[in-house]
Amino acid sequence: MKKWIVLIVIIVVVVAGFVWYFEFRKPATSSTVSTNPDLEVINGPHINYTVSATSIGNYLPLVGQVTSNVYNIGPYISGQITNVYVRQGQLIGMNQPLAKLNPTQYRLNYIQALNNYYNALLTRAASSVIEQYRLALQLAQENLNYTTITSPATGFIQTLNVATGDFVNAQTSSANLITIIQNTNMWVNAYVSEVDLADVHVGQKAIITFTQLNNLQLTGTVSFVQPFATTQSGLTVIPISIKFDKDPSKYGVVYGLDCNVNLIISTSKGFLIPFQAVFTDQDGQRYVLLKTSSGYQRQPVVLGNRYGMMVQVTSGVKEGDILIMKALSQTQNNAFRGLGFVGR
């Protein structure tokens, strides 16, 4: 009987040991692990961003559109089109031939005018007669030259409303045969509200952004402020023009593109960092993850204005600080490069 009691005691002790080991000594489950959002960034895909001072501006936002000189070309003389040398959309140069009118009658007129002028000189006609024939010869020469229609500028053929065999009349076909958009002198047109007019002046710098070109940014200068107001969509506005500082066609900008314009009212030096590098703790305090020799530390920051994907830091960081932030997606990375900011 005692042997059975001893055996039962041993079994109880063994079972109790197993229970104690697995229930009290086993590793804590995931439900008891305290999550640290900082470590999620540190241990996950991340990049380092070096803080550096940059110009921070007070901007007047506008919506603009790229425009250029537009040439509506028609014939100076009447006649039948014998040749068309260009096609719609073609890039053409200044003085390049566009179309040809039948020159036969105009060549004949020139020869007759030349003979009349020489005969007047040979017969020693009155000076007024000689001058009359000289002017008639000059007009005949001009009309003969006009049988070749040439381009007044370098640009693209926007519309082509003429074909070989067409008869064109100088009285009814002027300015509607061919339209050329100049591509060497583009600028931006925008409208300023009357309440903002005091902040706008010729010579003012501007930042021009093209979201459709991967957030391409170009700079420009206000070249014209219309000296009187106009009404558009029921609002009183003042048209302005902004000249590009660099040739925009080299960056893929074309006539007619919409763009966002920030007129720079004032600028100052400060710190801009990616908004993605800013975190918020449980008390609502904004902070960044500052890289240190021993790892990282939370650094409280005070934020200012936000500029797209960047935000101004008015307190908490200094030149050369290295911030740890989540890795950017491809779309975000393209946007940062378009804005001129990259994580380093």
Side-chain angles (χ1 to χ4, degrees):
M1 185 68 178
K2 291 183 179 180
K3 291 182 179 180
W4 281 104
I5 294 174
V6 173
L7 182 59
I8 291 173
V9 172
I10 293 174
I11 292 173
V12 170
V13 171
V14 171
V15 170
F18 275 105
V19 171
W20 178 84
Y21 180 82
F22 285 104
E23 290 299 324
F24 297 97
R25 292 293 302 274
K26 65 181 181 180
T29 62
S30 59
S31 62
T32 62
V33 174
S34 60
T35 58
N36 186 335
D38 299 347
L39 292 180
E40 291 180 4
V41 177
I42 301 297
N43 296 330
H46 65 274
I47 59 175
N48 296 332
Y49 184 88
T50 303
V51 177
S52 60
T54 187
S55 293
I56 300 175
N58 181 18
Y59 303 108
L60 174 62
L62 305 172
V63 175
Q65 187 175 52
V66 178
T67 189
S68 184
N69 293 317
V70 178
Y71 298 89
N72 295 310
I73 302 169
Y76 287 101
I77 57 175
S78 301
Q80 186 178 36
I81 298 294
T82 59
N83 297 91
V84 176
Y85 304 115
V86 295
R87 64 184 184 279
Q88 187 170 354
Q90 180 179 344
L91 175 63
I92 48 89
M94 182 179 293
N95 298 323
Q96 180 174 331
L98 305 175
K100 182 76 174 179
L101 281 74
N102 190 332
T104 303
Q105 184 62 54
Y106 295 100
R107 188 175 292 118
L108 178 60
N109 294 344
Y110 172 76
I111 293 173
Q112 291 175 344
L114 183 62
N115 287 334
N116 291 337
Y117 177 63
Y118 281 150
N119 286 335
L121 291 176
L122 291 174
T123 59
R124 297 179 182 274
S127 59
S128 60
V129 174
I130 293 175
E131 179 65 10
Q132 178 182 350
Y133 283 131
R134 187 189 69 80
L135 292 176
L137 176 61
Q138 180 180 330
L139 180 61
Q141 177 67 70
E142 291 175 355
N143 286 339
L144 182 59
N145 293 339
Y146 287 148
T147 60
T148 299
I149 301 175
T150 59
S151 172
T154 297
F156 292 93
I157 303 293
Q158 184 187 41
T159 58
L160 185 64
N161 297 320
V162 64
T164 300
D166 289 349
F167 184 87
V168 295
N169 190 311
Q171 302 301 317
T172 60
S173 301
S174 60
N176 66 355
L177 294 185
I178 303 172
T179 302
I180 296 176
I181 298 176
Q182 188 176 18
N183 73 325
T184 56
N185 186 32
M186 292 186 285
W187 68 89
V188 172
N189 279 341
Y191 295 91
V192 176
S193 170
E194 59 181 335
V195 299
D196 296 318
L197 180 59
D199 293 325
V200 181
H201 56 86
V202 172
Q204 188 171 9
K205 288 297 184 179
I207 300 174
I208 307 163
T209 303
F210 296 90
T211 56
Q212 64 276 69
L213 297 177
N214 293 323
N215 287 308
L216 169 71
Q217 282 193 334
L218 299 175
T219 58
T221 305
V222 176
S223 58
F224 174 74
V225 178
Q226 184 169 284
F228 52 88
T230 186
T231 301
Q232 190 168 84
S233 301
L235 300 176
T236 301
V237 295
I238 297 87
I240 67 170
S241 298
I242 302 167
K243 182 180 180 181
F244 289 99
D245 292 337
K246 297 180 180 179
D247 181 4
S249 63
K250 295 181 179 180
Y251 302 90
V253 176
V254 297
Y255 173 88
L257 280 186
D258 292 328
C259 55
N260 296 319
V261 178
N262 280 327
L263 293 185
I264 301 177
I265 298 175
S266 62
T267 59
S268 60
K269 282 291 186 180
F271 299 114
L272 288 180
I273 67 172
F275 192 77
Q276 193 162 332
V278 180
F279 305 92
T280 306
D281 64 18
Q282 294 179 346
D283 298 325
Q285 170 66 53
R286 299 292 187 128
Y287 69 93
V288 294
L289 297 179
L290 188 63
K291 189 172 184 179
T292 66
S293 58
S294 59
Y296 77 97
Q297 71 178 40
R298 286 190 178 189
Q299 178 62 42
V301 291
V302 178
L303 304 182
N305 295 326
R306 185 167 178 177
Y307 303 90
M309 298 183 70
M310 308 296 287
V311 64
Q312 180 184 7
V313 179
T314 60
S315 175
V317 298
K318 63 181 184 301
E319 183 87 17
D321 281 350
I322 299 177
L323 310 182
I324 304 171
M325 57 181 283
K326 292 181 180 179
L328 301 173
S329 66
Q330 187 60 45
T331 301
Q332 292 171 322
N333 191 55
N334 290 340
F336 270 84
R337 291 185 182 276
L339 291 168
F341 301 111
V342 291
R344 301 182 295 281

